[in-house]
Amino acid sequence: MLEKIRETADFLKSRIKHSPTIGMITGTGLGSLTERIVTDFRLPYEEIPNFPKSTVEGHRGVLAAGKLAGKSLIALEGRFHLYEGYSPQEVTFPVRVMASLGVKYLLMSSAAGGLNPQFERGDLMVLTDHINLKGTNPLIGPNLDEFGPSFPDMSQAYPPDLIRLAGKEAVHLGILIKQGVYVGVLGPCLETPAETRFLRMIGADAVGMSTVSQAIVGVHCGLKILAIVVITNMNLPDCMGKTSVADIIDASRQAGPALSDLWERIIGNLPDV
Ligand code: HPA
């Protein structure tokens, strides 16, 4: 595992002009976010040694390195999910690679279903915390001591200063942003009404199939994490409507421009580390 991480990091290091301090991961329908990067290079995942291939509709599977808002960053357009059949270690491999490249911030965006009845389709929600309901954990197995401790503290996985920064920049842009707890489920099927009621009862405001595994590994690597999700569909247990992947991708794409504006301002204002 460690050898593969090093091999991939070395491969990318030899191509990167500016060392990145920011790593970004975007998902369903959110590829447009990274179009604003002034790229040094873009590489399809197939051309990166040891990288899994993205198999999901709406996910591109391209790594871009370059500058956005004056900051050097590395961005993954398209992430890997456990439901594609990858192991928790494979899903989080790119986070380890980014940490090896010297990244200090992990910024993530994805689609999520809204559980909080005060939310609406198309809302943006910044994560204040998460619940790992995936039934597994990417840190299972021998600890990678080079990256972090065996029992990483999760009392502040999403640092409040970054949540505040997101709020401040959203106000600046006139974008309404909600805050809440994200519950990560395994998927790939969407939730039943009974499951939806359960997820709301345990304290979640939004549900999705990504983010959590990457956040856990990000914490393990000592990265500062900020995640903003697009509420692509509302899940209210007493009046569950049908949800299609096309609807989810459509809502993500619609939110793309506002979310890109927001990320660009956040990135421009991230404190140097
Ligand atoms: N459930 C789980 N994952 C999701 C959803 C949902 O309703 N919407 C977008 N990703």
Side-chain angles (χ1 to χ4, degrees):
M1 176 73 159
L2 210 50
E3 221 165 83
K4 281 190 173 173
I5 295 166
R6 285 209 184 108
E7 189 188 358
T8 308
D10 288 344
F11 169 87
L12 293 172
K13 234 178 241 166
S14 65
R15 283 162 178 75
I16 288 173
K17 285 195 209 140
H18 317 274
S19 1
T21 53
I22 298 163
M24 186 155 201
I25 306 179
T26 65
T28 311
L30 295 170
S32 73
L33 265 179
T34 53
E35 266 158 27
R36 301 184 184 197
I37 300 173
V38 183
T39 43
D40 293 341
F41 65 82
R42 274 174 197 274
L43 273 179
Y45 291 165
E46 298 86 64
E47 293 177 24
I48 305 173
N50 308 318
F51 246 57
K53 279 169 207 68
S54 194
T55 65
V56 190
E57 190 187 340
H59 289 244
R60 295 183 183 195
V62 174
L63 180 147
K67 285 206 166 199
L68 185 64
K71 305 273 174 71
S72 298
L73 84 170
I74 187 155
L76 300 180
E77 302 174 33
R79 58 161 65 80
F80 309 107
H81 305 82
L82 293 172
Y83 64 71
E84 293 175 81
Y86 297 118
S87 70
Q89 287 76 17
E90 283 173 313
V91 161
T92 53
F93 179 81
V95 178
R96 299 266 187 221
V97 170
M98 291 198 285
S100 304
L101 292 171
V103 158
K104 301 286 183 263
Y105 289 107
L106 178 60
L107 312 181
M108 293 188 276
S109 261
S110 63
L115 300 168
N116 183 328
Q118 294 187 330
F119 289 179
E120 284 173 34
R121 183 172 188 258
D123 276 350
L124 300 180
M125 183 191 97
V126 57
L127 272 63
T128 53
D129 205 350
H130 77 220
I131 300 171
N132 177 16
L133 222 62
K134 294 174 108 54
T136 186
N137 191 298
L139 304 180
I140 290 172
N143 184 52
L144 298 177
D145 298 327
E146 294 76 1
F147 288 95
S150 294
F151 300 97
D153 175 70
M154 293 293 288
S155 63
Q156 213 170 77
Y158 302 88
D161 55 330
L162 294 186
I163 296 170
R164 273 196 298 275
L165 176 63
K168 186 172 146 227
E169 299 310 330
V171 168
H172 183 93
L173 291 167
I175 295 171
L176 182 69
I177 191 159
K178 308 279 170 76
Q179 291 190 356
V181 174
Y182 174 98
V183 59
V185 294
L186 185 57
C189 61
L190 296 163
E191 298 72 38
T192 63
E195 287 165 345
T196 301
R197 186 174 291 107
F198 166 74
L199 297 176
R200 182 66 187 146
M201 280 172 68
I202 63 170
D205 296 290
V207 53
M209 302 171 194
S210 61
T211 309
V212 162
S213 306
Q214 289 87 351
I216 290 171
V217 167
V219 168
H220 185 250
C221 295
L223 306 182
K224 295 190 75 168
I225 301 169
L226 179 62
I228 303 173
V229 295
V230 181
I231 303 298
T232 54
N233 51 289
M234 281 304 298
N235 295 350
L236 302 173
D238 294 318
C239 53
M240 281 292 268
K242 283 195 191 299
T243 300
S244 72
V245 175
D247 285 344
I248 291 176
I249 294 175
D250 198 42
S252 289
R253 294 221 166 108
Q254 279 175 32
L259 191 53
S260 302
D261 287 349
L262 181 57
W263 275 124
E264 198 167 342
R265 277 202 64 91
I266 291 170
I267 289 168
N269 289 291
L270 278 176
D272 290 330
V273 279

